Amino acid sequence: SRIAAQTYAQRAAKHANPAAKALLETIERKQSNLCVSVDVTDRDEFLDIIDTVGPYACLIKTHVDIIEHFDLSLIERLQELSSAHDFLIFEDRKFADIGNTVALQYSSGVHKIASWSHITNAHPVPGPSIISGLASVGKPLGRGLLLLAEMSTKGSLATGSYTEEAVNMARAHRDFVIGFIAQRRMEAVGTSTDTNNDEDFLILSPGVGLDSKGDAMGQQYRTPKEVVTESGCDVIIVGRGIYGKGGNIDVQSVQKQAERYRNEGWAAYQARIR
Ligand code: BMP
């Protein structure tokens, strides 16, 4: 597609959303399209992994609701690491409720996600009101939203017309929706409205692994080459491929794997734009 042939730098220069622009610039600056998904429950382990993989990542993805003894001092540490290692933060909250409820979940409660997470995501299942609800909180803060247009799991229901309508919803809210969690590019999906030829949705793709095809709970893995070169996705999201099961992480091996996925992801991008 037109976008898949462009460099991250070319796209950064044109993008109007501040979070999308910052992510594209970070990818280019660090030559990394790797997002590390840090899905561990222990605070110290969470921070140790981020400190180790930070230099190789453009984005750190969190599920802060799984962390034991969460408080906002953890977020302060996360923000320090974000500055020190130059990555953005993506809370993988998967909002899925009515506009009024998601606005409260995004802004308030224990986690106050909007105050620190540059990017978050939502299921399109409630319809466009979920976007306006989240935008009422996130847009004034310069945040960006991803819609889950597809999922990596076996038997996912996010296919066909559901995926098409997700893309149409995003097209109607391009000031706040910066892209999709999906398994491929979405330009050809749904009803195109790109008359100015300036649509640029980022495709962030989970379900990436080099040494495994899946797990025992429905996850399915593809390689960075399949995801970035062949399917045209922009960012690879890798969790357990980098730190294994968690619990007593081996810092050297985590660092080695982060570097490996970063190199594979970047090579796959270079092969795509060539
Ligand atoms: P792992 O690489 O360890 O399988 O982790 C994948 C991460 O991506 C998890 O945090 C999961 O919540 C998330 N994810 C996914 O695996 N598939 C999707 O379709 C959407 C996701 O957010």
Side-chain angles (χ1 to χ4, degrees):
S1 78
R2 182 181 59 79
I3 288 292
Q6 294 176 23
T7 66
Y8 295 115
Q10 288 169 329
R11 295 169 61 185
K14 287 180 304 190
H15 217 294
N17 176 281
K21 193 183 194 63
L23 180 59
L24 287 162
E25 285 170 352
T26 306
I27 293 172
E28 184 71 39
R29 190 165 56 243
K30 297 182 78 174
Q31 305 212 332
S32 169
N33 54 22
L34 170 65
C35 169
V36 181
S37 176
V38 189
D39 302 335
V40 296
T41 59
D42 182 83
R43 286 175 64 114
D44 293 337
E45 188 178 7
F46 174 78
L47 294 172
D48 286 347
I49 291 175
I50 295 172
D51 199 16
T52 305
V53 304
Y56 308 100
C58 59
L59 186 66
I60 294 292
K61 185 172 85 59
T62 58
H63 282 298
V64 282
D65 58 350
I66 70 175
I67 297 174
E68 307 280 354
H69 313 296
F70 176 92
D71 61 41
L72 289 174
S73 71
L74 184 71
I75 295 302
E76 279 170 35
R77 279 295 294 138
L78 176 61
Q79 288 175 318
E80 285 166 15
L81 291 170
S82 158
S83 310
H85 295 307
D86 187 23
F87 59 75
L88 297 187
I89 304 169
F90 165 21
E91 165 59 23
D92 185 1
R93 175 62 179 74
K94 296 189 178 70
F95 294 102
D97 213 320
I98 64 167
N100 183 63
T101 300
V102 296
L104 294 170
Q105 291 172 322
Y106 189 24
S107 62
S108 306
V110 175
H111 298 121
K112 308 192 192 317
I113 293 164
S115 74
W116 52 266
S117 186
H118 304 99
I119 294 169
T120 191
N121 57 357
H123 286 294
V125 68
S129 55
I130 192 167
I131 301 176
S132 20
L134 292 168
S136 73
V137 174
K139 239 192 92 178
L141 297 170
R143 305 311 188 199
L145 181 70
L146 302 167
L147 290 182
L148 285 117
E150 294 178 328
M151 291 195 72
S152 60
T153 36
K154 235 172 257 162
S156 164
L157 304 182
T159 62
S161 62
Y162 182 93
T163 302
E164 286 169 31
E165 289 308 319
V167 176
N168 291 343
M169 265 170 65
R171 287 198 172 117
H173 299 87
R174 273 172 46 198
D175 49 349
F176 187 55
V177 181
I178 61 171
F180 303 99
I181 297 295
Q183 300 289 305
R184 60 192 161 111
R185 293 219 70 80
M186 290 286 144
E187 278 88 1
V189 176
T191 312
S192 178
T193 53
D194 191 18
T195 44
N196 299 325
N197 225 24
D198 63 350
E199 175 182 301
D200 182 353
F201 287 122
L202 280 75
I203 309 292
L204 281 68
S205 208
V208 178
L210 284 162
D211 304 320
S212 161
K213 288 275 149 222
D215 68 10
M217 297 185 191
Q219 177 67 295
Q220 305 177 110
Y221 292 122
R222 298 183 299 163
T223 64
K225 182 167 178 260
E226 291 173 289
V227 170
V228 176
T229 314
E230 292 164 21
S231 303
C233 302
D234 297 314
V235 172
I236 55 169
I237 300 177
V238 185
R240 289 165 289 176
I242 288 178
Y243 51 78
K245 281 201 295 282
N248 261 331
I249 60 146
D250 170 359
V251 170
Q252 264 180 5
S253 118
V254 171
Q255 182 180 349
K256 226 181 82 195
Q257 290 302 327
E259 193 173 7
R260 177 180 177 221
Y261 278 95
R262 175 208 166 265
N263 293 345
E264 292 271 345
W266 196 255
Y269 156 71
Q270 288 184 308
R272 181 175 97 198
I273 57 168
R274 198 160 38 223

